[in-house]
Amino acid sequence: MPTVAELYKKDLDKLLKPGIHFLDGNTATAEGAVTAGCRFYAGYPITPSNEIAEYMSYRLPQVGGKFIQMEDEIASIAAVLGASAAGVKSMTATSGPGFSLMQENIGLGSMLEIPAVIVDVMRAGPSTGIPTLLGQGDILQAKYGSHGDYEIVAYLPANPQEAFDFTIKAFNTAEKYRVVAVVLSDQLVGHMYGKVRVPEFDEIEIVERPKPTVPPDQYLPYDSKYLVPPMAIAGTGYRVNNESLTHTDKGYPTTDKDASFKLVMRLVRKIRENEKEIAEWEEYLLDDAEYVIVSYGSTSGSVRRAIKVLRTQGYRVGLLRPKTAWPFPGWVVENLASRGVQKFITVEVNMGKMYHVVREFSRGVPVEHIPYAPGYIPDPDYVMSNVKKVIEG
Amino acid sequence: MSTEVEVATTGIKVELPKAYDDIKDLIRIDRLPHIWCPGCGLGILLKLLARAIKNSGIPIEKHVIVTGIGCTGRIGGYLRLDAYHVTHGRAIPFAVGLKMANPELEVTVVGGDGDILAIGGNHFIHAARRNDDINVIIVNNFIYGMTGGQYSPTTPKGAKTTTSPYGHFENPFNVPLLAYAAGASYVARWSVLHQNELYQSLLEMFRVKGFAVIEVLSPCIIYTDRNAMGDAVDFMKVIKERSTIDHNANLADIDIDFSMKKIVLGNFVKRERPVSYG
Amino acid sequence: MALIQQDEAWFMRRLVNLHKMKRPVGKILVNPDLCKDCRFCIEFCPNNVLEESKDVNFKGYHYPVVKPGKELDCVACRMCEKICPEFAITIISEEYITYDKYYGVSRHAHGG
Ligand SMILES: Cc1ncc(C[n+]2csc(CCOP(=O)(O)OP(=O)(O)O)c2C)c(N)n1
Ligand code: SF4
Ligand code: SF4
Ligand code: SF4
């Protein structure tokens, strides 16, 4: 796999230098994108994601990229898909209301198989909610928000370092599988300052979308012989029809039973069959845990602290922290359930989202959710007392 | 030499007549006959657009067509070009992304009046305001064709549609005026009957730097049926008899009302305006 | 009245150099399978050369055919070709006809 050092040779001095930096999560996300090769940004202002757009408007021109503030989020994601179709790695950033507006075109990106990255800095909802405070309510929307069957990939950074790293990963996965990748950050991660270590440029691997190797007359844009067909870039002479209607391998609209099913199958298989390769998670004190707390993003910091204290009091609790919401590492939950875990407890800032996902894999082991949605993460005391309540029944 | 291709859906062999040898490379012959109704004007536009692209002087592989959803949106699928059939109303922002990412591309959006001016209306005025260097062909058939004849932003007051059974209560857009006011560099209105003028206008659109808009009046039998206007032939005859060409028309004065008594066509606007990101 | 005047004009010209004056005569090619019977070609032909076929194509549409007696009336103006939304009708304009021949045939057709 090529690295940043090889791919962006002439830009290296313009990238954030390897070494330690002190950044907020939103800036780290933006720098991660620039390091990953993102050279186009389209977005619409929304708190608490604004720092990403503002930083990109300043940063992209320095590296030969382009920034545009569109008329709304629908236009933003459409422009991102257009720019990526023209061969430029592209991204947008938004928050709840904007993410809702983008859903239809997430389906478009999935159908046309155009790599794109969306950063959703989650805030409290529903509706306009509390723009300046946090929520973790977009987890299910990220996967199920658009109509029909498709798959996306979603990362869950918990701090500025991960905001940087996971944005690079999001670009790599988007390119590798030709999907929309979402970075599900949250208001706290976005505004939290922290240490960000930028690895040496020859340590950062970069994936680029598969390119056609055959001449135009033999090229099929949606060739079902591949799981991820090579992608022809607009203007390179392949002259293909990129079709949002259900289409054949050739890109022609179809209502044929077999062709339709084959297409939808491929769109989901490309992620489902590679879920073990894509999914990432962290296990904390799980080896002997009887009670497994599932938590992610900024909330997981508070949970980690609670676990430390609970352990000193003799509770055998541990943390499973998914780093990817999608694909969800369901088999890890399954293994824990088979191993004899007593209960799963989900701690997230919502009324129960990942809770449902954990239940899907818990093999009958009870799953309890600790509801919390006031715009803040629960503090360790709150987590501790509620976990104790769950354990003691 | 004409090419004979078997059509996947029907199994019949279709041959593109010799007269189309010049554009046979640009038409997806294996998809003919196209899906449009008998009497739909879109087939005429398809041929003219293919010819204009061929003779635009811009390499064919640099042309990109972006369309939204609707009968008009199907046009890209019949052109052997890089074509993107995207979501309803979103062709313009998708095109803006393409053009910004690769300014060498000649990006043309083709869409219906609903696609561009209703659901996509916001994108339309903002792209015109920025004067993004893309082309937009708005096929105005006065109705939503694809969904079965509901009223659109260009349906004249009084017209009957499936959602205005008592006659439409709203006023329509005056498309050239809107495009001009929003900032387009080039604005024209023609009809599919005005082949030569429309063809020249398409060529001009490719030469223009900035946001170029052509409103193309086109018959839709769903519209004429509902309004007892006869069939597509009768509609074309109305255009033939009532249209006048006035390149210097006062744009505020060129609404098309239900009676269609006055249809003003022309190349109305051509102006130098700075292009965004140019 | 007008018709008579026009006839007289033609008559005058016929007298002068009919055998020298020529015009293109178009060969009309129709691909019945592509036609959807919109009648644009029939209605907008300036010489009224075309009419609907009795037959139908594989989709059940009538397609244009040359009206009996109008075999030489197509002047290859290509209006039908240009206005056809379906690529179904095209014109080959390779031959010319002189007016003496045209009127000869014409008279014969009408007189018979
Ligand atoms: C988001 C969304 N809303 C509605 C539709 C349904 N729809 C498809 S085409 C269309 C309108 C087409 O009318 P117009 O744009 O005027 O094009 P025409 O078919 O007349 O060429 C609508 C409403 C859709 N596809 N997507
Ligand atoms: S519904 Fe109207 S616009 Fe659509 S194909 Fe038919 S005639 Fe054309
Ligand atoms: S070429 Fe002209 S004269 Fe001949 S059939 Fe067509 S429209 Fe009529
Ligand atoms: S114009 Fe074309 S489609 Fe219409 S009747 Fe004539 S040949 Fe057929």
Side-chain angles (χ1 to χ4, degrees):
Chain A
M1 221 178 288
T3 62
V4 170
E6 293 157 43
L7 281 176
Y8 309 124
K9 246 181 224 128
K10 55 179 193 333
D11 285 343
L12 288 185
D13 57 328
K14 297 177 201 141
L15 300 181
L16 189 64
K17 297 216 165 16
I20 307 291
H21 302 265
F22 191 62
L23 302 175
D24 64 296
N26 279 344
T27 308
T29 305
E31 280 296 355
V34 173
T35 308
C38 173
R39 294 296 178 268
F40 181 82
Y41 181 101
Y44 188 80
I46 186 166
T47 308
S49 74
N50 287 329
E51 295 80 5
I52 302 181
E54 289 164 5
Y55 193 73
M56 286 303 246
S57 72
Y58 150 80
R59 198 66 174 88
L60 278 179
Q62 296 177 340
V63 291
K66 282 189 180 156
F67 170 93
I68 184 169
Q69 181 175 308
M70 295 298 283
E71 52 275 14
D72 58 30
E73 286 86 351
I74 304 177
S76 304
I77 178 69
V80 162
L81 294 174
S84 182
V88 174
K89 288 190 190 178
S90 308
M91 80 177 281
T92 182
T94 187
S95 185
F99 194 51
S100 294
L101 282 181
M102 289 181 186
Q103 294 302 326
E104 189 194 13
N105 279 345
I106 291 181
L108 177 68
S110 309
M111 191 61 143
L112 301 186
E113 300 179 64
I114 301 179
V117 170
I118 302 174
V119 181
D120 175 15
V121 187
M122 293 187 284
R123 74 189 213 186
S127 189
T128 311
I130 314 174
T132 50
L133 295 181
L134 138 154
Q136 291 184 317
D138 306 353
I139 299 280
L140 295 179
Q141 186 190 21
K143 182 176 159 97
Y144 299 110
S146 200
H147 52 283
D149 291 287
Y150 65 103
E151 288 280 348
I152 53 101
V153 174
Y155 290 90
L156 293 165
N159 49 51
Q161 178 71 56
E162 287 189 347
F164 179 84
D165 294 343
F166 290 4
T167 305
I168 297 177
K169 278 185 202 278
F171 272 98
N172 283 348
T173 334
E175 293 281 319
K176 183 166 179 188
Y177 299 104
R178 294 181 59 185
V179 292
V180 174
V182 184
V183 179
L184 283 170
S185 174
D186 58 50
Q187 178 268 332
L188 194 54
V189 172
H191 292 160
M192 174 196 301
Y193 273 81
K195 198 171 80 175
V196 175
R197 188 187 83 86
V198 177
E200 292 302 322
F201 290 138
D202 55 5
E203 287 168 16
I204 309 175
E205 289 182 336
I206 296 294
V207 185
E208 300 211 307
R209 59 194 74 174
K211 292 191 185 71
T213 49
V214 295
D217 56 332
Q218 290 162 33
Y219 173 74
L220 292 174
Y222 302 99
D223 198 343
S224 54
K225 128 172 146 239
Y226 301 89
L227 208 48
V228 185
M231 177 170 170
I233 301 305
T236 54
Y238 281 86
R239 293 161 64 186
V240 292
N241 190 38
N242 297 269
E243 185 57 73
S244 67
L245 289 158
T246 298
H247 45 257
T248 60
D249 288 15
K250 213 171 172 183
Y252 290 2
T254 183
T255 51
D256 176 75
K257 264 189 353 203
D258 297 335
S260 312
F261 192 27
K262 199 163 79 177
L263 172 67
V264 175
M265 285 274 274
R266 190 171 62 70
L267 292 181
V268 300
R269 274 178 53 218
K270 60 183 184 180
I271 297 303
R272 290 191 189 167
E273 286 181 10
N274 292 298
E275 60 180 9
K276 296 235 155 87
E277 194 186 317
I278 305 167
E280 292 186 35
W281 65 95
E282 182 201 342
E283 301 182 3
Y284 176 65
L285 302 180
L286 277 191
D287 288 344
D288 61 342
E290 286 175 358
Y291 298 91
V292 174
I293 304 180
V294 183
S295 189
Y296 52 87
S298 52
T299 314
S300 62
S302 193
V303 170
R304 199 186 303 266
R305 173 77 197 146
I307 288 175
K308 269 190 196 149
V309 181
L310 284 167
R311 280 268 170 181
T312 63
Q313 299 172 0
Y315 293 96
R316 284 174 39 197
V317 289
L319 169 70
L320 171 62
R321 178 170 76 93
K323 295 180 179 175
T324 52
W326 312 109
F328 181 77
W331 59 94
V332 180
V333 174
E334 281 174 352
N335 291 344
L336 288 165
S338 327
R339 210 200 61 198
V341 161
Q342 300 281 315
K343 258 182 192 169
F344 290 98
I345 304 161
T346 50
V347 182
E348 37 184 345
V349 183
N350 57 48
M351 300 304 285
K353 303 272 180 194
M354 196 174 275
Y355 161 72
H356 295 284
V357 189
V358 175
R359 275 183 55 165
E360 194 180 324
F361 296 97
S362 69
R363 303 202 157 165
V365 174
V367 185
E368 301 246 5
H369 178 62
I370 298 178
Y372 196 74
Y376 296 90
I377 59 164
D379 60 29
D381 285 344
Y382 184 88
V383 176
M384 257 163 26
S385 61
N386 280 282
V387 167
K388 276 190 206 163
K389 263 189 235 159
V390 169
I391 292 176
E392 280 144 21
Chain B
M1 220 201 66
S2 47
T3 342
E4 201 179 63
V5 182
E6 189 171 314
V7 177
T9 44
T10 55
I12 62 159
K13 288 234 174 15
V14 168
E15 197 179 325
L16 204 63
K18 226 172 130 78
Y20 296 109
D21 273 3
D22 59 332
I23 52 169
K24 71 170 185 229
D25 178 45
L26 275 170
I27 303 290
R28 295 197 189 271
I29 306 162
D30 53 346
R31 293 201 59 206
L32 299 179
H34 52 61
I35 62 155
W36 296 311
C37 304
C40 178
L42 285 163
I44 307 175
L45 176 64
L46 171 66
K47 299 191 304 185
L48 288 171
L49 182 57
R51 285 229 158 86
I53 286 171
K54 180 84 187 185
N55 299 324
S56 63
I58 298 160
I60 283 171
E61 66 273 13
K62 295 297 169 206
H63 278 277
V64 184
I65 302 287
V66 188
T67 60
I69 304 300
C71 299
T72 309
R74 294 299 194 97
I75 212 165
Y78 296 110
L79 287 166
R80 215 164 73 73
L81 292 172
D82 278 321
Y84 293 86
H85 189 204
V86 303
T87 40
H88 191 32
R90 316 305 169 196
I92 288 178
F94 192 99
V96 169
L98 275 162
K99 180 72 184 183
M100 277 183 78
N102 182 357
E104 269 178 33
L105 300 176
E106 182 67 28
V107 187
T108 304
V109 170
V110 194
D113 36 87
D115 192 42
I116 305 271
L117 298 173
I119 191 165
N122 199 28
H123 309 312
F124 177 75
I125 55 171
H126 283 278
R129 167 183 64 80
R130 293 187 296 258
N131 207 17
D132 290 322
D133 190 10
I134 59 171
N135 314 309
V136 178
I137 301 169
I138 306 173
V139 176
N140 182 0
N141 53 17
F142 304 99
I143 204 159
Y144 284 12
M146 180 65 98
T147 38
Q150 298 81 4
Y151 64 75
S152 89
T154 55
T155 304
K157 194 169 188 149
K160 286 193 173 146
T161 68
T162 53
T163 46
S164 58
Y166 306 111
H168 194 31
F169 298 121
E170 302 171 15
N171 299 311
F173 270 136
N174 170 342
V175 182
L177 179 64
L178 174 69
Y180 170 73
S185 272
Y186 177 76
V187 183
R189 178 198 273 162
W190 294 105
S191 85
V192 289
L193 188 70
H194 293 74
Q195 317 252 329
N196 298 339
E197 293 88 346
L198 177 53
Y199 174 73
Q200 291 303 330
S201 181
L202 289 166
L203 287 177
E204 185 64 28
M205 170 184 86
F206 291 132
R207 286 190 289 262
V208 165
K209 186 140 178 72
F211 197 69
V213 181
I214 306 178
E215 179 188 9
V216 180
L217 307 181
S218 174
C220 170
I221 54 173
I222 311 272
Y223 181 70
T224 53
D225 264 15
R226 283 262 154 191
N227 289 292
M229 296 168 100
D231 57 13
V233 169
D234 298 306
F235 184 94
M236 292 284 253
K237 283 185 178 161
V238 166
I239 291 195
K240 185 178 165 192
E241 283 153 20
R242 310 235 182 110
S243 61
T244 51
I245 297 176
D246 179 4
H247 302 303
N248 301 316
N250 176 5
L251 292 186
D253 228 35
I254 60 165
D255 293 276
I256 301 175
D257 68 16
F258 185 42
S259 70
M260 295 188 79
K261 281 214 180 79
K262 192 183 75 179
I263 307 167
V264 183
L265 309 174
N267 299 316
F268 302 126
V269 179
K270 200 181 156 205
R271 56 180 165 177
E272 302 262 327
R273 237 188 121 228
V275 175
S276 309
Y277 309 98
Chain C
M1 228 356 231
L3 276 176
I4 293 166
Q5 278 175 3
Q6 202 180 31
D7 251 15
E8 279 170 357
W10 280 114
F11 186 70
M12 293 298 290
R13 296 184 95 178
R14 246 183 256 177
L15 284 179
V16 189
N17 53 1
L18 277 184
H19 64 290
K20 277 195 192 153
M21 282 173 61
K22 57 180 188 173
R23 64 152 170 90
V25 55
K27 206 168 119 203
I28 301 163
L29 298 180
V30 176
N31 185 335
D33 282 341
L34 285 176
C35 174
K36 289 185 189 155
D37 194 15
C38 68
R39 299 181 53 92
F40 283 173
C41 55
I42 297 171
E43 299 285 343
F44 286 92
C45 168
N47 271 4
N48 260 315
V49 176
L50 304 164
E51 66 177 14
E52 272 182 13
S53 66
K54 302 245 155 30
D55 247 7
V56 291
N57 69 9
F58 88 112
K59 281 192 159 185
Y61 291 120
H62 298 281
Y63 48 88
V65 291
V66 177
K67 272 188 194 157
K70 294 264 190 174
E71 289 78 4
L72 294 177
D73 280 24
C74 170
V75 295
C77 69
R78 290 188 188 279
M79 188 59 193
C80 54
E81 179 182 311
K82 285 187 172 178
I83 206 168
C84 175
E86 307 284 340
F87 303 92
I89 184 166
T90 52
I91 300 299
I92 294 183
S93 168
E94 283 168 353
E95 285 165 29
Y96 290 83
I97 187 169
T98 50
Y99 277 90
D100 63 336
K101 285 225 181 76
Y102 172 70
Y103 284 115
V105 173
S106 213
R107 215 177 296 139
H108 176 75
H110 288 294

